[in-house]
Short mmCIF file of all heavy atoms in Angstrom, two decimals:
data_model
loop_
_atom_site.label_atom_id
_atom_site.label_comp_id
_atom_site.label_asym_id
_atom_site.label_seq_id
_atom_site.Cartn_x
_atom_site.Cartn_y
_atom_site.Cartn_z
N HIS A 215 -19.39 92.72 7.50
CA HIS A 215 -20.65 93.15 8.10
C HIS A 215 -20.95 94.57 7.62
O HIS A 215 -20.03 95.34 7.32
CB HIS A 215 -20.56 93.16 9.63
CG HIS A 215 -20.39 91.80 10.23
ND1 HIS A 215 -21.26 91.30 11.18
CD2 HIS A 215 -19.45 90.84 10.05
CE1 HIS A 215 -20.86 90.09 11.55
NE2 HIS A 215 -19.76 89.79 10.87
N ALA A 216 -22.22 94.92 7.57
CA ALA A 216 -22.64 96.27 7.23
C ALA A 216 -23.44 96.85 8.38
O ALA A 216 -24.24 96.15 9.01
CB ALA A 216 -23.47 96.28 5.95
N LEU A 217 -23.25 98.14 8.63
CA LEU A 217 -23.91 98.80 9.76
C LEU A 217 -24.41 100.18 9.36
O LEU A 217 -23.69 100.95 8.72
CB LEU A 217 -22.93 98.94 10.93
CG LEU A 217 -23.40 99.79 12.12
CD1 LEU A 217 -24.56 99.11 12.85
CD2 LEU A 217 -22.26 100.07 13.09
N HIS A 218 -25.66 100.45 9.73
CA HIS A 218 -26.19 101.82 9.65
C HIS A 218 -26.72 102.18 11.02
O HIS A 218 -27.57 101.49 11.58
CB HIS A 218 -27.30 101.92 8.61
CG HIS A 218 -28.05 103.22 8.66
ND1 HIS A 218 -27.40 104.45 8.69
CD2 HIS A 218 -29.39 103.50 8.70
CE1 HIS A 218 -28.30 105.42 8.74
NE2 HIS A 218 -29.50 104.87 8.75
N ALA A 219 -26.20 103.27 11.58
CA ALA A 219 -26.64 103.74 12.90
C ALA A 219 -27.36 105.08 12.73
O ALA A 219 -26.90 105.95 12.00
CB ALA A 219 -25.45 103.89 13.84
N PHE A 220 -28.49 105.22 13.42
CA PHE A 220 -29.22 106.49 13.39
C PHE A 220 -29.80 106.76 14.77
O PHE A 220 -30.00 105.85 15.58
CB PHE A 220 -30.33 106.45 12.33
CG PHE A 220 -31.46 105.52 12.66
CD1 PHE A 220 -32.64 105.99 13.23
CD2 PHE A 220 -31.36 104.16 12.41
CE1 PHE A 220 -33.68 105.13 13.54
CE2 PHE A 220 -32.39 103.29 12.71
CZ PHE A 220 -33.56 103.78 13.28
N ASP A 221 -30.07 108.02 15.03
CA ASP A 221 -30.50 108.45 16.36
C ASP A 221 -31.92 109.01 16.31
O ASP A 221 -32.11 110.17 15.93
CB ASP A 221 -29.53 109.50 16.89
CG ASP A 221 -29.89 109.98 18.29
OD1 ASP A 221 -30.73 109.31 18.93
OD2 ASP A 221 -29.34 111.00 18.73
N PRO A 222 -32.93 108.22 16.68
CA PRO A 222 -34.31 108.73 16.66
C PRO A 222 -34.61 109.70 17.79
O PRO A 222 -35.61 110.42 17.73
CB PRO A 222 -35.15 107.45 16.79
CG PRO A 222 -34.28 106.52 17.56
CD PRO A 222 -32.86 106.82 17.12
N SER A 223 -33.78 109.75 18.82
CA SER A 223 -34.06 110.62 19.96
C SER A 223 -34.06 112.09 19.57
O SER A 223 -34.81 112.90 20.11
CB SER A 223 -33.05 110.38 21.08
OG SER A 223 -31.75 110.77 20.68
N LYS A 224 -33.21 112.46 18.60
CA LYS A 224 -33.20 113.84 18.15
C LYS A 224 -34.53 114.21 17.52
O LYS A 224 -35.05 115.31 17.70
CB LYS A 224 -32.07 114.05 17.15
CG LYS A 224 -30.68 113.91 17.75
CD LYS A 224 -29.61 114.17 16.71
CE LYS A 224 -28.22 114.03 17.32
NZ LYS A 224 -27.15 114.25 16.31
N LEU A 225 -35.10 113.25 16.79
CA LEU A 225 -36.40 113.50 16.16
C LEU A 225 -37.49 113.62 17.22
O LEU A 225 -38.39 114.44 17.11
CB LEU A 225 -36.72 112.36 15.20
CG LEU A 225 -35.77 112.27 14.00
CD1 LEU A 225 -35.91 110.93 13.32
CD2 LEU A 225 -36.05 113.39 13.03
N GLU A 226 -37.39 112.79 18.27
CA GLU A 226 -38.38 112.85 19.34
C GLU A 226 -38.36 114.21 20.02
O GLU A 226 -39.40 114.77 20.37
CB GLU A 226 -38.12 111.74 20.34
CG GLU A 226 -38.42 110.35 19.77
CD GLU A 226 -37.90 109.23 20.66
OE1 GLU A 226 -37.27 109.55 21.69
OE2 GLU A 226 -38.12 108.06 20.33
N MET A 227 -37.16 114.79 20.19
CA MET A 227 -37.06 116.11 20.81
C MET A 227 -37.71 117.16 19.92
O MET A 227 -38.38 118.07 20.39
CB MET A 227 -35.60 116.45 21.08
CG MET A 227 -34.98 115.66 22.23
SD MET A 227 -33.33 116.23 22.69
CE MET A 227 -32.40 115.78 21.23
N HIS A 228 -37.50 117.03 18.60
CA HIS A 228 -38.12 117.98 17.68
C HIS A 228 -39.64 117.85 17.70
O HIS A 228 -40.36 118.84 17.62
CB HIS A 228 -37.60 117.75 16.26
CG HIS A 228 -36.18 118.20 16.06
ND1 HIS A 228 -35.75 119.44 16.43
CD2 HIS A 228 -35.11 117.55 15.54
CE1 HIS A 228 -34.46 119.57 16.14
NE2 HIS A 228 -34.05 118.42 15.61
N ILE A 229 -40.12 116.60 17.81
CA ILE A 229 -41.57 116.39 17.85
C ILE A 229 -42.16 117.03 19.09
O ILE A 229 -43.19 117.70 19.05
CB ILE A 229 -41.88 114.88 17.82
CG1 ILE A 229 -41.52 114.32 16.44
CG2 ILE A 229 -43.34 114.60 18.13
CD1 ILE A 229 -41.58 112.82 16.35
N GLU A 230 -41.49 116.85 20.24
CA GLU A 230 -41.97 117.44 21.48
C GLU A 230 -42.01 118.96 21.39
O GLU A 230 -42.85 119.62 21.99
CB GLU A 230 -41.07 117.01 22.64
CG GLU A 230 -41.20 115.52 22.98
CD GLU A 230 -40.21 115.10 24.04
OE1 GLU A 230 -39.42 115.96 24.48
OE2 GLU A 230 -40.21 113.92 24.43
N ALA A 231 -41.08 119.52 20.61
CA ALA A 231 -41.04 120.97 20.46
C ALA A 231 -42.00 121.46 19.38
O ALA A 231 -42.11 122.66 19.14
CB ALA A 231 -39.62 121.41 20.10
N GLY A 232 -42.69 120.53 18.73
CA GLY A 232 -43.66 120.91 17.71
C GLY A 232 -43.05 121.23 16.37
O GLY A 232 -43.68 121.86 15.52
N VAL A 233 -41.79 120.81 16.15
CA VAL A 233 -41.11 121.13 14.90
C VAL A 233 -41.50 120.15 13.80
O VAL A 233 -41.70 120.53 12.65
CB VAL A 233 -39.58 121.12 15.10
CG1 VAL A 233 -38.86 121.37 13.78
CG2 VAL A 233 -39.20 122.18 16.13
#
Side-chain angles (χ1 to χ4, degrees):
H215 294 236
L217 171 68
H218 170 49
F220 68 99
D221 181 14
S223 66
K224 294 181 180 179
L225 295 164
E226 290 169 357
M227 288 188 293
H228 287 309
I229 291 171
E230 291 175 359
V233 176

